[in-house]
Each structure stands twice: as structure tokens, then as C-alpha cells.
Amino acid sequence: MSFVLKYHCYLLSLMLLLPALCYSQDFLCSRATYYGSPDCLGTPTGACGFGEYGRTVNDANVAGVSRLFKNGTGCGGCYQVRCKVPQLCTDDGVNVVVTDYGEGDNTDFILSPRAYTKLATQDKSAELFAHGVVEVEYRRIPCRFSGYNLKFKVHEHSKYPNYLAIVILYAAGQNEIQAVEFWQEDCKEWRGMRRAYGAVFDVANPPYGDINLRFQVSGRMGMTWVVANNAIPSDWKVGVAYDSQIQLT
């Protein structure tokens, strides 16, 4: 009887310990894999709509996510990911930027080959790639883009002057863009832009002249609106990213 009681106590202690191992220091347990890319960079056709930025931002240490995509508000989020394969994985793992949507084998992260390589210790990346899918732990971290202000890029789908689509780049900190609005001068009011897909917001028949924007940010400080005056010039060009002079933290 004493042995049975001790055995049950051991199992209970183990059950209580396992979640602590997975959720310690703000890390959550999951799985990660990688996608094929001949140049080891990201993809320009990602679901966030980042284009070339999504291929090369953060030195191409990028990822597609599923549950963390959040209908597009998760685009641009930064995470520390580290794998848990003994003798193969580094202690720090890799810091990635979310630039795409992707579903794997019960994975939260589909990493670019460059990012997946950084999970491994020196000379062990080939062995890690052979696993295909690995157990990982991850946590949200602030995005840091040294030397860059937040930018508004006129998306390639835009048609001057009748249709404007934008995507916000270099959103630093632990922030998520929830909504974007433009100032309608003749009505003296802010009007919402549609989230077309991912991180792309659009509007038909945008106002003439320089366009003032404001965007709703959710982060550590809660929900707030940030105004960017003259964010888009009157003669805006497709594919150009305009500097906002704004630094999110």
C-alpha cells in the first residue's frame, strides 16, 4: 500500500513538473520544420504581403506560422525559437520575424533554411535537417531594426490614383497592427482601410493630396493609435516605401 501511494505521488509530481519544463521563462513548447528555398532566404509571395522585404528582413531569418498568424495581425512579430534535440541544438536558438502563413506537422513554425540552420550547433546542421521536424520552445520578443524607422510601402497591387494598398514595414517592439485609417479632409473624419490580406491594407478612391494615416497598435502598453502625418505623398509610386520618422518601442 505504501509503495502504491509513493508511486502515485511520483506520477503526480512528474505531471506537475512537465508543464513547468515547457512553460518556464515565458517559453512555450511546440514543433518546427523548414521550407525549401534554393537561396535559403524567405519567399516573396508570402501570405503577409511583405514581398522582397519578407525574403531578406532580419538577415532572412524568417518564418511562416499557423496559429500565430492571427488573420494577419501576427505578421511582423518576432520570436526566439530554440530546438530541444540533445547534442544538436544551440542554447540561444534563432530570432525570427513572421513573414508568411504555413502549416506543418503539428508545427507552429516553418523556418527559412537559414533560420533552421541557426538552431544547430556548429557542424551539426545537416543532422538537424535530417530530423525534418523538431521539438522546440519559443517566446515572443521585441523586434529590433537598427537604423530603420517604420515605413509605409505602397503595395505592388496599387493603381495610381484610384486604388491604394499599403503594408507597414519595420514595426519594432512587441506590437501588432490591428487597424489602419486615413484622414478624409472634406468630411473631417478618419476612415478605415480594409485589411485585404495578411498585413496589407487597402482603399478604393483614396483622397487626393498628401495622405495622413493612423494605425492602431496593440502591445505591452495596451491598445493605442499612432498618427503619421503626410505618410503617403500625393504623387505616390507603386513599390516605394515611405519613411514615417516613427520609431515604435
Side-chain angles (χ1 to χ4, degrees):
M1 186 70 176
S2 175
F3 171 77
V4 173
L5 181 60
K6 288 181 180 179
Y7 179 73
H8 281 290
C9 289
Y10 170 78
L11 286 179
L12 180 60
S13 299
L14 185 61
M15 291 173 64
L16 292 174
L17 178 61
L18 285 175
L21 293 175
C22 282
Y23 296 88
S24 62
Q25 301 177 9
D26 300 325
F27 281 91
L28 304 175
C29 283
S30 186
R31 285 152 58 88
T33 186
Y34 61 93
Y35 55 79
S37 172
D39 55 10
C40 294
L41 305 181
T43 169
T45 57
C48 289
F50 287 143
E52 188 63 25
Y53 168 90
R55 276 174 48 78
T56 58
V57 67
N58 193 39
D59 196 27
N61 294 304
V62 297
V65 295
S66 52
R67 183 172 54 89
L68 300 172
F69 189 75
K70 304 175 187 176
N71 197 35
T73 61
C75 290
C78 294
Y79 293 87
Q80 180 185 3
V81 183
R82 56 192 191 189
C83 64
K84 302 193 296 181
V85 181
Q87 285 79 53
L88 295 186
C89 300
T90 64
D91 292 335
D92 294 330
V94 62
N95 297 342
V96 297
V97 178
V98 173
T99 60
D100 203 353
Y101 178 90
E103 296 182 7
D105 181 11
N106 293 317
T107 62
D108 274 309
F109 295 91
I110 302 181
L111 304 174
S112 66
R114 183 170 299 192
Y116 197 85
T117 297
K118 288 191 174 181
L119 293 176
T121 57
Q122 189 174 12
D123 301 325
K124 296 293 185 180
S125 59
E127 293 182 49
L128 193 65
F129 272 94
H131 282 261
V133 178
V134 293
E135 301 294 322
V136 299
E137 56 185 11
Y138 71 93
R139 64 178 174 180
R140 182 73 186 271
I141 59 173
C143 294
R144 294 185 175 90
F145 303 109
S146 179
Y148 290 94
N149 297 319
L150 182 143
K151 292 186 178 185
F152 298 101
K153 180 188 175 184
V154 177
H155 197 271
E156 286 77 6
H157 291 167
S158 300
K159 302 291 184 182
Y160 184 86
N162 300 316
Y163 172 72
L164 174 63
I166 65 167
V167 58
I168 300 177
L169 311 180
Y170 300 110
Q174 292 194 35
N175 300 295
E176 294 180 348
I177 308 300
Q178 300 291 331
V180 179
E181 296 181 343
F182 65 94
W183 178 251
Q184 188 75 44
E185 179 62 28
D186 54 352
C187 300
K188 303 296 182 184
E189 67 178 11
W190 292 100
R191 291 191 170 179
M193 299 182 74
R194 179 185 69 128
R195 185 186 291 275
Y197 69 95
V200 179
F201 295 84
D202 68 355
V203 59
N205 302 313
Y208 292 103
D210 294 346
I211 301 175
N212 299 326
L213 296 176
R214 71 173 184 176
F215 52 98
Q216 190 179 45
V217 178
S218 63
R220 288 184 170 181
M221 302 304 292
M223 199 84 72
T224 185
W225 285 95
V226 179
V227 176
N229 291 318
N230 303 321
I232 308 293
S234 58
D235 59 345
W236 50 266
K237 302 290 192 302
V238 172
V240 176
Y242 297 99
D243 195 320
S244 72
Q245 302 300 316
I246 294 171
Q247 284 274 359
L248 293 180
T249 57

